Amino acid sequence: MKHNIKITPLIEQMEKLFRHTRTGSFKTRARYKSSCRNFLDFVHKEFKLKNIKNLQDKHVVAYIKKRQEEGVSPKTIKNDLVAIRYLHDMIPNAKYQLSDNDDLKKLYELKLDKTPAVKGDRGWTDEEYRNILSFVNEKASENKTAADTRDVMILCRTMGLRVAEAVAMHRSQAEEALRTGIYQVRGEAKNGKWRQVPLSKPARHMLQQRLATVERGEKIFVTPNEKTHHAINRVEKFLQHHRDKFITREGQQKRSYQGKTNPLTFHGLRYNYVQDRMKEEMSNGFTFEQAATIVTKEVGHERIDVINVYLGK
């Protein structure tokens, strides 16, 4: 399976280390390697680290906190830590020793045993969604980023895609979805977990129009000379710049948690998707657990308990 991760100096050094190890089974090494790629990609972006020998606790702690904020399960995080230490043990002349889990908890006050507390509902109100969609639609004819923001909103809201998954969409993926009615989230998926999502009617209409302007082999939202993460940043910044004009009192109440109000984000539209899909499946006669089993797969989690996070519970 291919990863949409840039080949940085850290990744190159990691690849060399894994080529020369035979410790553990092939399957185990492959799993560790996948986890380490994600970790090193994060370290490169956040710390600009160039030499893998300089890995230390602060890099690991920052990565753990990021994963916890994303709602990743404690079990998965502990597996990540095993993989990171496996990598670190292979590094010749490493400058720093990595702390074990007990020391990480003591020295940096990390909690590794429980899922991070829910930070409230992040979903939008229908009025907020309609108004922002209308606004970006008006701007779309003269502003590519506005058009991209509008269409990414549709994919997040009606199909539960993450903003990075939506922006990274290839023309071939869109064509396949229009042909089969199922959208395949592939290597751009978080943690590389492929999944299938039913193509929504609004997304179908949008993609049919988009394909007329996208060449074969290209991505739907990323221009030929643009990096995917730059395109993601474009639409996120555009939404951040304009969103406060469309916040409603009802939305403030909906997203209020412990005295603070969660902002309008693309991730919040995934909350709306999960909330709507849960209502839909339960109205079809499924129990909460049965509905959650269906919906959690659609949003790429495989965990029933994470549904409560999206419900704001």
Side-chain angles (χ1 to χ4, degrees):
M1 186 180 298
K2 295 182 179 180
H3 295 257
N4 286 344
I5 292 179
K6 182 179 179 181
I7 303 301
T8 64
L10 292 180
I11 298 295
E12 290 179 343
Q13 294 164 46
M14 180 206 73
E15 293 281 0
K16 183 177 180 180
L17 292 172
F18 269 89
R19 279 199 299 270
H20 296 288
T21 185
R22 293 295 181 268
T23 304
S25 68
F26 177 82
K27 185 175 181 181
T28 297
R29 293 197 301 271
R31 186 173 70 249
Y32 287 172
K33 188 176 179 180
S34 177
S35 295
C36 289
R37 286 177 69 96
N38 290 323
F39 167 63
L40 294 178
D41 182 55
F42 167 83
V43 171
H44 171 76
K45 290 177 180 177
E46 296 298 319
F47 295 91
K48 311 303 179 187
L49 192 70
K50 301 297 183 182
N51 195 326
I52 203 168
K53 293 182 179 181
N54 293 327
L55 284 173
Q56 53 186 295
D57 278 352
K58 69 177 182 180
H59 304 128
V60 177
V61 171
Y63 185 64
I64 292 173
K65 289 182 177 179
K66 171 183 175 287
R67 299 280 277 165
Q68 290 177 333
E69 289 172 359
E70 293 172 342
V72 177
S73 71
K75 180 179 178 181
T76 299
I77 289 175
K78 288 182 179 179
N79 288 339
D80 286 341
L81 287 170
V82 172
I84 291 169
R85 293 193 181 99
Y86 177 92
L87 169 66
H88 194 262
D89 286 343
M90 293 191 291
I91 300 173
N93 303 316
K95 291 187 178 181
Y96 303 94
Q97 191 76 21
L98 296 185
S99 299
D100 60 23
N101 286 5
D102 288 338
D103 284 341
L104 287 176
K105 288 188 282 188
K106 293 176 183 177
L107 297 172
Y108 304 99
E109 299 181 349
L110 286 176
K111 295 182 179 180
L112 299 176
D113 299 323
K114 297 181 180 179
T115 301
V118 176
K119 296 183 179 179
D121 192 346
R122 300 186 184 185
W124 302 24
T125 66
D126 289 340
E127 181 181 354
E128 289 168 334
Y129 179 69
R130 287 195 305 269
N131 289 345
I132 294 184
L133 200 61
S134 176
F135 169 76
V136 292
N137 192 49
E138 290 176 3
K139 300 287 185 181
S141 61
E142 57 190 37
N143 187 315
K144 170 178 167 51
T145 299
D148 291 343
T149 300
R150 174 198 62 198
D151 295 347
V152 170
M153 283 175 57
I154 290 172
L155 292 171
C156 295
R157 176 67 181 81
T158 69
M159 292 176 59
L161 298 189
R162 298 180 176 92
V163 60
E165 295 169 345
V167 173
M169 180 185 293
H170 284 268
R171 177 190 167 102
S172 59
Q173 288 172 284
E175 289 177 326
E176 181 182 3
L178 290 172
R179 186 172 60 252
T180 65
I182 300 294
Y183 181 71
Q184 177 76 64
V185 185
R186 294 177 177 163
E188 70 278 7
K190 182 178 174 181
N191 296 330
K193 291 183 178 179
W194 290 35
R195 71 181 191 277
Q196 294 183 334
V197 185
L199 182 66
S200 68
K201 289 182 180 179
R204 173 179 288 277
H205 178 71
M206 178 270 289
L207 292 177
Q208 287 172 334
Q209 294 182 317
R210 277 276 181 171
L211 288 188
T213 62
V214 179
E215 298 293 330
R216 292 191 178 278
E218 293 184 357
K219 293 182 178 180
I220 301 295
F221 302 103
V222 183
T223 57
N225 296 321
E226 185 179 30
K227 300 293 185 182
T228 300
H229 69 273
H230 289 162
I232 295 170
N233 186 62
R234 270 197 302 109
V235 298
E236 288 184 327
K237 292 295 184 184
F238 188 88
L239 177 60
Q240 290 169 13
H241 183 70
H242 296 287
R243 63 190 178 188
D244 288 350
K245 295 178 286 188
F246 301 96
I247 294 174
T248 66
R249 185 180 294 256
E250 180 188 355
Q252 287 180 314
Q253 294 175 342
K254 175 181 176 67
R255 293 185 300 278
S256 178
Y257 183 74
Q258 294 185 349
K260 296 182 179 180
T261 300
N262 286 313
L264 293 170
T265 63
F266 286 105
H267 190 60
L269 295 175
R270 271 168 57 88
Y271 277 62
N272 291 109
Y273 176 81
V274 169
Q275 291 164 10
D276 287 352
R277 287 288 292 120
M278 286 295 294
K279 290 178 183 177
E280 181 180 0
E281 294 298 344
M282 291 179 72
S283 69
N284 289 335
F286 288 113
T287 65
F288 179 89
E289 289 74 16
Q290 291 170 330
T293 299
I294 295 171
V295 177
T296 192
K297 291 180 180 179
E298 293 177 357
V299 291
H301 279 291
E302 307 291 336
R303 290 164 45 221
I304 293 178
D305 62 318
V306 82
I307 293 299
N308 281 323
V309 175
Y310 285 95
L311 298 178
K313 294 182 179 179

